[in-house]
C-alpha cells in the first residue's frame, strides 16, 4: 500500500470522525446515539432502459450506497487487507480487471475472468459466469471467503468492521442496528449490492442514443453495416447475419441468459473441461453453458470470454466466424458466418464494420461517473 | 378486559370464516404444458423424424396471451394476460424438455372453454422490454425481442439434424410480428367446485412440421429469423391450435 494511499485513507477517516461531532460508540458497542434516517436513493438510468427492480429487503438509500462504495474499494474485507472488490472490478476496465483470469491474495488464479458490473442491477437471472448466485447480495458474499480471492472468513472481516473507527456508524446510518455486534455479513453484502446497482450506463454512447431514438444517422455507414449484421437485418443489402443479438441484443446488450457458445470441444456432455452452469444445476444438458455478458463498453473490457482466452475483439470474431468448436449442445445459431460468395466467413470489411459497431457501445461517461470512483483517492 | 377478549375472538372467528368462504368460492386450477413429438415427451438428446430429416430439438419457447375461461353464460374469466413458456429451463439431470405448470385461483362454477392466444397480442407486442420492470417477463426475456423489428419473438424452435440431401442442418425458426398472432378456443368442460383441478396439455411439434401428410422441409429451409418473410411464421403459429391438445 503506497504512502499516499495510506495518508488519503486516514485523512478520510479523520474527516468522517470529525464530522461525527466527536460522538463515539460506547465501549459496549452502542450505536443508538447516531441518527438512523435513511434517505431514499433514486437510481439514474437512461430512459430506454427497463426499470430496475430493487429487492424489498434492501431498498436503495444514500447511506447504504455510501457504505457500499467504501466497502467495495476498501481492502479491509480480505485476509491480509490487500484486496478489495475493486481489485477485480476497476472502473477504468469497465469494472473488470482486464486480466484473462483474476488472482487472489495468495497469488492463486481462478479459472474465470472477472465480469463487468456495469448495469448488473438489471440482471434478473443468476449471477457469475455459471449462475451460482441467485442475487447480487448473494454474489457479494462469496469472494470474501473464496480461497482464490480474498481468502478471509466473514468472522474476521466482521471483527475488523465492528472495531473500525468509522464503519459501525455507517452501518447504523444505513441499516439502523443499535449495536455494532448486530452488524452482519448480510448487511455488508446489501451495502455492496446497493453500490453495484448504481453502476449504470450514462445513455450517452452512440449505441444508447440509437437505441433511444432509432435514428440511423447516429451511425456512420460502416457502423450501420455492423449494426445490421449484429441484428441479422442486412441480408437484403448483401450483409450476412452475424447472429450476435440473439444473446447480446437490447439496450443492455445482453439477454443475461446462458448459452454454449462453442468455446469447448466436447464429444459428449460429460467431456467439458469447465461445465459452467451445468455443474451448478447438475443438469448435463447445460454443461458448457455460460452467461452472455453485456457488450456495453466491450472495447474497454478485454480480454474476452469466461476464461479470458481472447485478447482482442478481432480474436472474438475469429471464434464466432468459425462457428465454434463442436459439442453435443453447442448453440445451433453458431455457424460459419458469411453469405455467398463468401460462405466461409465474414469478409475483412464485414469484420471491421462489426468491430466498429461494437465500439459505438463505449460509454466512458459511465465509468468516469464520479459517484462510482474510489472514495479513498 | 373481558369485552376486549370477546371482541378479539369475534374478529378472529369472522376472519377465519371469511377465509373459508373465500377458499370455498374458488378453485386452484393448474394448466400444464409439455412439448412432445408424436406423443413422446421431447428429449433434447433424441432424434425425431421430421419428414426426411432426423432432428434433435434443443430449444422451444412460446408466449401465450389472454388465457381465459369461458363460462356457460359466455362471460370470460381472465387467467393471465401473458405467459412465457420456456421448456429449456433445465433444473434437473434429465434431458427431457420441461413440463411447465401455471396455476390460477378461479371462481367456482362451470366453464365450457379455454381461450388462449399464441404469441403476444398486438397491445403487448407494441411494447418493448424497456416498458416493464426488469423482473417482468417481457423485460426479463429480452432475448425474445427483436429490436430491429420492434416485435417479440412469439415462438422459437431450434435444433439440429441431417438428411440425405442435407448432411448437417442447424435449424432455427423464430416466429413473431403481429400478423402471425393467432387465437384458439379449446372446448373443454371445467367444473370447478373448490377441489384442485388440473388440465394437462401437450404441444406436439410434429403437428407444427406436418399438415395433411405433408412435412415441412427443414433441410431446405432451416432458418427463419425475419419479419420480412412471415410465411413460415404464419404457418407454424397457425398450426399451434392443432398442436396444442389435452393430453
Amino acid at each position: 500500500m503506497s504512502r499516499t494511499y495510506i495518508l488519503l485513507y486516514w485523512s478520510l477517516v479523520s474527516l468522517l470522525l470529525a464530522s461525527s461531532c466527536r460522538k463515539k460508540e460506547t465501549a459496549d458497542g452502542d450505536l443508538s446515539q447516531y441518527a438512523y434516517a435513511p434517505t431514499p436513493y433514486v437510481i439514474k438510468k437512461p430512459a430506454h432502459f427497463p426499470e430496475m427492480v430493487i429487492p424489498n429487503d434492501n431498498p436503495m438509500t444514500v447511506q447504504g450506497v455510501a457504505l457500499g462504495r467504501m466497502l467495495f474499494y476498501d481492502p479491509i474485507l480480505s485476509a491480509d487487507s490487500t484486496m478489495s472488490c475493486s481489485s477485480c472490478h476497476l472502473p477504468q476496465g469497465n469494472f473488470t480487471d482486464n486480466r484473462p483470469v483474476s488472482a487472489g491474495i495468495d497469488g492463486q488464479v481462478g479459472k474465470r475472468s472477472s465480469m463487468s458490473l456495469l448495469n448488473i442491477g438489471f440482471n434478473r437471472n443468476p449471477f457469475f459466469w455459471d449462475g451460482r448466485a441467485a442475487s447480487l447480495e448473494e454474489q457479494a458474499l462469496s469472494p470474501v471467503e473464496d480461497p482464490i480471492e480474498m481468502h478471509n472468513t466473514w468472522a474476521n472481516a466482521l471483527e475488523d468492521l465492528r472495531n473500525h473507527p468509522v464503519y459501525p456508524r455507517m452501518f447504523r446510518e444505513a441499516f439502523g442496528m443499535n449495536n455494532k455486534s448486530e452488524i452482519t455479513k448480510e448487511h455488508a453484502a446489501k451495502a455492496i449490492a446497493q453500490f453495484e446497482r448504481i453502476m449504470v450506463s450514462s445513455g450517452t454512447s452512440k449505441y444508447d442514443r440509437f437505441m433511444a431514438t432509432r435514428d440511423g444517422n447516429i451511425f456512420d455507414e460502416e457502423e450501420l453495416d455492423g449494426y445490421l449484421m449484429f441484428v441479422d437485418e442486412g441480408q437484403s443489402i448483401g450483409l450476412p447475419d452475424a447472429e450476435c443479438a440473439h444473446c447480446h441484443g437490447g439496450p443492455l446488450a445482453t439477454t443475461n441468459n446462458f448459452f454454449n457458445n462453442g468455446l469447448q470441444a466436447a464429444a459428449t456432455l460429460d467431456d467439458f473441461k469447465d461445465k459452467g452452469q451445468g455443474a451448478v444445476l447438475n443438469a448435463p444438458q447445460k454443461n458448457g453453458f455460460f452467461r452472455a455478458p453485456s457488450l456495453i463498453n466491450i472495447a474497454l473490457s478485454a480480454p474476452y470470454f469466461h476464461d479470458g482466452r481472447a485478447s482482442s475483439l478481432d480474436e472474438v470474431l475469429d471464434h464466432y466466424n468459425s462457428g465454434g468448436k463442436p459439442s453435443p449442445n453447442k448453440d445451433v445459431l453458431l455457424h460459419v458466418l458469411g453469405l455467398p460468395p463468401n460462405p466461409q466467413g465474414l469478409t475483412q470489411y464485414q469484420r471491421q464494420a462489426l468491430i466498429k459497431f461494437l465500439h459505438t457501445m463505449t460509454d466512458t461517461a459511465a465509468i468516469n461517473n464520479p459517484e462510482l470512483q474510489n472514495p479513498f483517492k | 378486559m373481558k369485552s376486549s377478549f370477546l371482541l378479539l375472538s369475534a374478529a378472529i372467528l369472522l376472519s377465519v370464516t371469511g377465509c373459508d368462504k373465500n377458499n370455498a368460492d374458488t378453485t386452484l386450477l393448474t394448466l400444464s404444458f409439455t412439448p412432445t413429438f408424436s406423443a413422446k415427451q421431447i428429449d433434447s438428446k433424441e432424434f425425431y423424424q421430421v419428414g426426411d430429416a432426423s432432428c434433435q430439438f434443443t430449444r422451444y419457447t412460446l408466449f401465450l396471451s389472454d388465457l381465459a375461461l369461458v363460462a356457460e353464460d359466455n362471460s370470460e374469466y381472465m387467467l393471465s394476460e401473458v405467459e412465457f413458456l420456456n421448456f429449456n429451463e433445465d433444473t434437473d439431470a434429465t434431458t427431457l424438455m420441461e413440463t411447465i405448470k401455471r396455476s390460477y385461483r378461479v371462481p367456482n362454477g362451470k366453464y365450457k372453454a379455454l381461450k388462449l392466444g399464441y404469441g403476444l397480442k398486438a397491445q403487448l407486442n407494441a411494447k418493448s422490454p424497456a416498458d416493464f420492470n426488469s423482473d417482468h417477463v417481457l423485460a426479463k426475456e429480452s432475448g425474445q425481442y427483436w429490436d430491429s423489428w420492434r416485435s417479440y419473438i412469439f415462438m422459437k424452435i431450434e435444433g439440429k439434424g441431417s438428411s440425405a440431401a442435407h448432411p448437417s442442418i442447424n435449424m432455427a425458426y423464430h416466429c413473431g410480428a403481429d400478423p402471425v398472432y393467432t387465437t384458439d378456443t379449446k372446448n373443454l368442460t371445467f367444473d370447478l367446485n373448490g377441489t384442485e383441478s388440473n388440465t394437462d396439455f401437450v404441444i406436439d411439434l410434429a403437428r407444427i412440421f406436418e399438415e395433411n401428410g405433408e412435412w415441412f422441409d427443414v433441410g431446405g429451409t432451416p432458418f427463419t429469423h425475419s419479419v420480412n418473410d412471415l410465411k413460415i411464421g404464419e404457418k407454424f403459429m397457425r398450426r399451434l391450435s392443432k398442436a396444442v391438445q389435452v393430453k
Side-chain angles (χ1 to χ4, degrees):
Chain A
M1 200 183 294
S2 73
R3 186 178 293 175
T4 313
Y5 181 89
I6 294 170
L7 189 65
L8 283 169
Y9 177 83
W10 284 110
S11 300
L12 183 67
V13 167
S14 306
L15 194 67
L16 284 165
L17 281 174
S19 68
S20 70
C21 304
R22 298 185 186 282
K23 283 183 187 173
K24 288 181 182 175
E25 311 93 73
T26 56
D28 63 358
D30 178 32
L31 299 173
S32 59
Q33 63 196 296
Y34 300 120
Y36 173 55
T39 312
Y41 186 105
V42 179
I43 294 173
K44 294 180 276 293
K45 69 164 189 70
H48 64 286
F49 275 32
E51 289 298 322
M52 191 184 295
V53 175
I54 307 299
N56 290 333
D57 64 350
N58 192 21
M60 297 290 293
T61 65
V62 171
Q63 293 79 0
V65 170
L67 172 60
R69 182 180 177 189
M70 298 270 283
L71 294 175
F72 185 86
Y73 283 100
D74 192 336
I76 192 171
L77 294 178
S78 62
D80 62 357
S81 296
T82 61
M83 186 177 189
S84 68
C85 307
S86 69
S87 301
C88 299
H89 300 284
L90 294 152
Q92 63 267 32
N94 189 33
F95 299 98
T96 73
D97 59 5
N98 292 125
R99 295 176 180 173
V101 290
S102 302
I105 63 166
D106 303 321
Q108 286 189 66
V109 292
K111 58 181 181 180
R112 309 265 172 77
S113 190
S114 66
M115 296 195 87
S116 172
L117 299 179
L118 190 66
N119 299 317
I120 194 69
F122 295 99
N123 177 30
R124 303 306 297 165
N125 285 333
F127 292 80
F128 288 118
W129 284 105
D130 56 10
R132 65 184 183 275
S135 68
L136 207 45
E137 284 76 5
E138 187 182 327
Q139 184 279 327
L141 284 172
S142 66
V144 171
E145 295 195 326
D146 193 324
I148 59 170
E149 294 188 60
M150 297 182 185
H151 204 179
N152 203 355
T153 64
W154 269 108
N156 282 340
L158 287 172
E159 190 180 346
D160 289 346
L161 291 171
R162 288 170 185 153
N163 292 327
H164 193 275
V166 173
Y167 281 123
R169 176 189 167 190
M170 294 186 78
F171 273 97
R172 158 74 178 175
E173 289 171 343
F175 298 109
M177 65 281 291
N178 291 317
N179 191 288
K180 62 185 183 183
S181 64
E182 297 165 32
I183 296 170
T184 65
K185 63 181 181 181
E186 285 78 16
H187 290 124
K190 282 182 175 182
I192 293 169
Q194 286 190 41
F195 176 58
E196 290 174 337
R197 288 193 172 98
I198 74 166
M199 298 175 179
V200 173
S201 287
S202 70
T204 58
S205 72
K206 273 189 170 184
Y207 180 70
D208 277 324
R209 286 187 282 130
F210 172 76
M211 293 298 285
T213 63
R214 306 284 167 173
D215 178 3
N217 294 318
I218 287 168
F219 296 136
D220 67 25
E221 192 176 336
E222 204 171 2
E223 291 163 346
L224 188 59
D225 283 350
Y227 169 75
L228 293 173
M229 288 184 282
F230 187 87
V231 296
D232 295 0
E233 205 188 348
Q235 286 213 10
S236 60
I237 55 169
L239 294 169
D241 296 347
E243 315 287 11
C244 312
H246 301 290
C247 308
H248 298 287
L252 301 170
T254 179
T255 59
N256 280 312
N257 286 328
F258 294 80
F259 302 93
N260 173 359
N261 60 341
L263 289 170
Q264 302 178 72
T268 73
L269 291 174
D270 295 326
D271 294 335
F272 288 94
K273 190 177 169 192
D274 186 345
K275 292 186 169 59
Q277 192 194 25
V280 172
L281 297 176
N282 191 29
Q285 199 60 25
K286 296 293 173 82
N287 285 350
F289 276 49
F290 295 90
R291 188 152 69 88
S294 170
L295 300 188
I296 303 296
N297 272 336
I298 194 67
L300 306 176
S301 311
Y304 304 107
F305 296 131
H306 67 275
D307 54 5
R309 69 176 65 187
S311 60
S312 66
L313 290 173
D314 218 41
E315 286 184 26
V316 172
L317 280 195
D318 284 343
H319 168 73
Y320 287 117
N321 207 13
S322 73
K325 296 177 180 172
S327 60
N329 57 354
K330 187 185 78 167
D331 201 290
V332 299
L333 295 165
L334 288 167
H335 54 81
V336 177
L337 301 176
L339 276 177
N342 297 301
Q344 298 308 311
L346 302 172
T347 66
Q348 191 53 38
Y349 169 77
Q350 290 160 354
R351 292 173 64 112
Q352 191 179 305
L354 266 172
I355 290 176
K356 198 163 177 199
F357 165 68
L358 292 174
H359 277 262
T360 69
M361 296 182 174
T362 299
D363 180 357
T364 51
I367 60 171
N368 291 326
N369 178 351
E371 292 183 46
L372 304 182
Q373 308 306 311
N374 187 339
F376 305 117
K377 283 187 178 173
Chain B
M1 183 70 185
K2 195 174 177 181
S3 59
S4 300
F5 177 76
L6 283 170
L7 272 172
L8 184 64
S9 303
I12 291 170
L13 193 66
L14 276 171
S15 65
V16 168
T17 316
C19 285
D20 279 343
K21 190 170 189 301
N22 185 44
N23 278 336
D25 287 347
T26 63
T27 296
L28 189 67
L29 171 66
T30 298
L31 307 179
S32 77
F33 299 89
T34 303
T36 62
F37 195 93
S38 298
K40 284 182 69 178
Q41 184 169 357
I42 289 178
D43 185 329
S44 51
K45 277 172 75 175
E46 296 295 319
F47 285 83
Y48 302 91
Q49 204 62 35
V50 184
D52 62 355
S54 178
C55 298
Q56 283 179 308
F57 295 99
T58 55
R59 180 173 290 135
Y60 184 47
T61 62
L62 177 66
F63 277 109
L64 299 176
S65 291
D66 284 354
L67 275 78
L69 289 179
V70 182
E72 293 198 320
D73 63 0
N74 289 322
S75 63
E76 294 184 9
Y77 182 80
M78 179 74 87
L79 301 174
S80 174
E81 186 179 34
V82 58
E83 295 287 1
F84 178 62
L85 308 181
N86 180 357
F87 298 102
N88 301 90
E89 280 186 344
D90 289 340
T91 52
D92 56 40
T94 77
T95 50
L96 291 172
M97 282 198 180
E98 307 294 301
T99 292
I100 295 179
K101 295 184 177 183
R102 296 285 185 265
S103 295
Y104 314 94
R105 191 153 282 284
V106 182
N108 288 343
K110 288 190 176 178
Y111 299 88
K112 62 180 183 181
L114 172 71
K115 291 175 82 169
L116 65 169
Y118 301 120
L120 291 179
K121 60 181 176 179
Q123 296 97 310
L124 286 176
N125 199 37
K127 296 179 184 292
S128 77
D131 295 321
F132 301 93
N133 285 336
S134 53
D135 65 346
H136 189 283
V137 66
L138 294 180
K140 189 179 170 189
E141 299 301 336
S142 60
Q144 309 291 325
Y145 187 73
W146 276 318
D147 277 307
S148 44
W149 290 302
R150 307 286 192 97
S151 171
Y152 283 87
I153 302 171
F154 298 168
M155 179 169 71
K156 283 186 181 178
I157 304 173
E158 295 177 9
K160 51 192 165 185
S162 62
S163 67
H166 301 92
S168 176
I169 301 169
N170 272 8
M171 58 180 188
Y173 302 104
H174 294 180
C175 310
D178 290 344
V180 309
Y181 177 70
T182 57
T183 57
D184 190 12
T185 301
K186 301 292 183 196
N187 294 316
L188 301 166
T189 302
F190 298 87
D191 191 358
L192 304 181
N193 55 17
T195 305
E196 282 189 21
S197 176
N198 300 292
T199 302
D200 301 327
F201 291 94
V202 297
I203 307 176
D204 186 354
L205 296 199
R207 299 266 187 129
I208 293 176
F209 286 95
E210 179 268 340
E211 191 173 51
N212 301 325
E214 188 179 335
W215 286 89
F216 182 82
D217 178 11
V218 295
T221 312
F223 202 87
T224 181
H225 182 69
S226 171
V227 298
N228 294 327
D229 181 0
L230 292 177
K231 282 180 199 158
I232 295 173
E234 283 172 344
K235 185 180 291 185
F236 284 5
M237 296 299 291
R238 175 177 53 75
R239 290 177 180 176
L240 272 167
S241 60
K242 281 187 183 168
V244 176
Q245 296 295 336
V246 172
K247 196 172 180 179

